[in-house]
Amino acid sequence: MARSLARSVLTCASTVRSKLKKLFSELEAPMGVTGVASLFALQFTADPVTDYRSFTKNDKKMQRTMFIGLQNEGYLMSNRCAGNVSTVHEHGELDGFVDAVGRVLERAGYA
């Protein structure tokens, strides 16, 4: 049972990261997403984020816009826009999160 739950969480997290990458590409937003296992983080740079130095290239204003925008949409993340997928998350909730990110980006001028 525990292994199937762990596999489900990993699959869901991977799917969320993939959907976010697709969204950023479709909206031509200079963003990315990083993560491993159940963890993910929105990156506000078109450059790959692989270490602290590359992380510092994030657009801090957009990061703050996303943080506040997601709160307004009903999603709470860390102020650096990092989150995780857990066993209590369902596919519909995760799709809703991706949609909320899209709405925040549209309000920020990416449409």
Side-chain angles (χ1 to χ4, degrees):
M1 178 80 147
R3 286 185 184 176
S4 67
L5 283 175
R7 260 193 309 276
S8 175
V9 167
L10 296 178
T11 299
C12 286
S14 179
T15 300
V16 166
R17 288 190 295 268
S18 294
K19 288 181 177 184
L20 288 167
K21 288 176 185 176
K22 181 179 177 194
L23 173 68
F24 301 151
S25 176
E26 288 172 353
L27 295 178
E28 297 180 358
M31 291 179 62
V33 61
T34 56
V36 63
S38 66
L39 306 174
F40 66 93
L42 305 180
Q43 304 298 335
F44 302 89
T45 177
D47 298 332
V49 175
T50 57
D51 56 21
Y52 180 76
R53 182 169 287 157
S54 57
F55 169 79
T56 62
K57 295 179 183 177
N58 270 304
D59 178 344
K60 302 294 188 247
K61 183 178 178 187
M62 189 59 205
Q63 186 178 45
R64 177 101 173 125
T65 297
M66 183 63 68
F67 173 68
I68 298 297
L70 286 173
Q71 282 185 336
N72 290 334
E73 291 280 340
Y75 294 91
L76 180 62
M77 298 184 73
S78 76
N79 63 345
R80 291 188 178 180
C81 293
N84 73 291
V85 175
S86 74
T87 57
V88 300
H89 293 116
E90 296 180 2
H91 290 283
E93 294 169 328
L94 298 172
D95 288 341
F97 171 74
V98 173
D99 293 342
V101 170
R103 288 190 296 273
V104 173
L105 287 172
E106 287 173 6
R107 287 194 299 269
Y110 297 96

